[in-house]
Amino acid sequence: MQGAVLSGISEGLSPVPTGELVVRALPARQRLAFSLVVPTRNESHNLCQLIELLKPVIEAEVGESYEIIVVDDDSPDETWQVAAEMAVIDPHVVALRRMDERGLATAVIRGWQAARGNLLGVIDADLQHPPEITGSLIAAMHGGADLAVGSREAEGGGTSDWSLLRLMISRGSRMLGRMILPGVLSRVSDPMTGFFVVRRTAIEGVVMTPCGYKILVELLVRSRMREIVEVGYVFRSRQRGESKASMKVFVDYVQHLLRLRATAREPREALSKSAAAK
Ligand SMILES: Nc1nc2c(ncn2[C@@H]2O[C@H](COP(=O)(O)OP(=O)(O)OP(=O)(O)O)[C@@H](O)[C@H]2O)c(=O)[nH]1
Ligand SMILES: [Mg+2]
């Protein structure tokens, strides 16, 4: 793995990539069909169930050619330990424990940097994203899309039991995003979703600088998405563990939008040094 250093390595844990937030090209012989990143912070009660539900769904689409990469930010409840124990017995599970970095969006990119998949996905650990929809997202990618988005706004989508306040914040965030980045965020009905699959080649070599939670917004601005497909899903209520969503998430989001608007016209393409050297 390029640019990786060993950090917090113990049995079952894999090295955490460091340096710029860029997904590099991989030789074809090393690649898998699909890598799914699960970012975690205090999700020890949800992780095993999630992975058990995901595996048959993914295997129905790609057989054995996949990995599920848990990226935990050194959770006090030791989610990283649960992931590491699974990684020891299951070759499809990869566990990363981040010691020096924090935040959902960077955790996802670190996971993708460690990933070998031609298709790269992300799903929340708390079962709010229905695992079975992962199969529909992969199938949409097999149909040729560059991005398959799990959407709460598309047909069949929705939110289960959100309070009026949460609904208003979510709708307001979407409207704000469309005002600040009109051409980009209107390409999908639910740019705030954290449940999607992207083609590796669409993001290879693109330096990302996300802040906070909203990684899809970053991708829509910086990467090369031709065909985008949406799959409706109902965002379930959290059964176990605590939410990490807060007002700070909203403030980070607004800052992120403004920064993306300032830099969107000059996307920073980082040619992989190794690719350039070849
Ligand atoms: N690695 C990492 N994962 C995080 C961080 N913050 C949240 N997560 C994970 O990202 C996913 C989404 O976070 P949630 O707290 O569920 O956010 P949410 O779904 O908007 O809020 P709820 O509906 O209240 O659950 C979950 O799997 C979290 O464990 C973080 O700082 N680092
Ligand atoms: Mg959640």
Side-chain angles (χ1 to χ4, degrees):
M1 186 190 315
Q2 291 170 18
V5 293
L6 298 185
S7 125
I9 295 303
S10 64
E11 200 185 7
L13 290 174
S14 295
V16 180
T18 57
E20 279 189 313
L21 292 161
V22 191
V23 173
R24 307 284 186 192
L26 263 188
R29 65 180 183 284
Q30 290 177 21
R31 282 188 242 140
L32 299 173
F34 180 55
S35 302
L36 183 64
V37 167
V38 185
T40 57
R41 179 85 183 150
N42 290 335
E43 302 287 1
S44 62
H45 297 296
N46 291 316
L47 193 59
C48 294
Q49 189 188 357
L50 175 77
I51 290 178
E52 269 166 33
L53 290 169
L54 278 170
K55 289 189 63 167
V57 172
I58 298 172
E59 283 166 20
E61 297 296 330
V62 298
E64 295 293 315
S65 184
Y66 74 96
E67 60 190 348
I68 298 172
I69 304 176
V70 180
V71 185
D72 185 65
D73 281 4
D74 195 27
S75 295
D77 79 346
E78 300 191 344
T79 308
W80 51 271
Q81 183 68 41
V82 175
E85 282 166 16
M86 295 182 88
V88 168
I89 54 172
D90 186 338
H92 292 297
V93 178
V94 177
L96 306 186
R97 177 188 185 187
R98 292 204 307 174
M99 307 300 284
D100 306 321
E101 268 181 325
R102 294 286 181 267
L104 172 52
T106 61
V108 175
I109 299 172
R110 292 301 182 206
W112 288 343
Q113 286 181 288
R116 292 177 291 153
N118 285 325
L119 304 179
L120 305 173
V122 57
I123 187 169
D124 283 1
D126 53 12
L127 299 156
Q128 288 181 297
H129 296 155
E132 62 277 11
I133 297 289
T134 310
S136 311
L137 295 175
I138 299 171
M141 296 299 287
H142 285 158
D146 285 325
L147 175 69
V149 178
S151 169
R152 293 160 290 195
E153 299 296 324
E155 197 183 333
T159 49
S160 37
D161 58 353
W162 278 12
S163 66
L164 188 60
L165 178 66
R166 187 160 184 185
L167 270 176
M168 282 168 60
I169 292 175
S170 173
R171 298 245 156 95
S173 301
R174 207 165 58 235
M175 277 171 58
L176 198 65
R178 290 202 176 130
M179 281 162 58
I180 296 178
L181 291 165
V184 187
L185 294 206
S186 51
R187 292 191 73 193
V188 294
S189 63
D190 187 6
M192 325 297 298
T193 184
F195 188 22
F196 58 89
V197 176
V198 64
R199 194 168 297 283
R200 184 185 193 101
T201 49
I203 61 168
E204 260 172 11
V206 178
V207 179
M208 288 180 266
T209 56
C211 78
Y213 256 46
K214 303 303 175 191
I215 174 116
L216 181 58
V217 172
E218 175 79 14
L219 253 57
L220 285 169
V221 172
R222 301 216 187 272
S223 56
R224 303 170 287 268
M225 309 291 181
R226 283 162 306 172
E227 192 185 335
I228 301 177
V229 173
E230 299 194 319
V231 178
Y233 79 95
V234 176
F235 191 85
R236 295 174 179 157
S237 54
R238 186 184 257 280
Q239 300 299 317
R240 298 209 274 182
E242 279 179 16
S243 169
K244 270 61 75 180
S246 65
M247 209 48 208
K248 182 171 182 313
V249 169
F250 181 72
V251 174
D252 282 349
Y253 168 68
V254 177
Q255 282 177 352
H256 189 194
L257 288 177
L258 293 173
R259 201 178 60 205
L260 283 171
R261 186 171 69 168
T263 58
R265 288 205 190 85
E266 19 178 326
R268 294 168 59 207
E269 292 271 332
L271 267 182
S272 150
K273 285 185 189 120
S274 61
K278 274 177 200 161

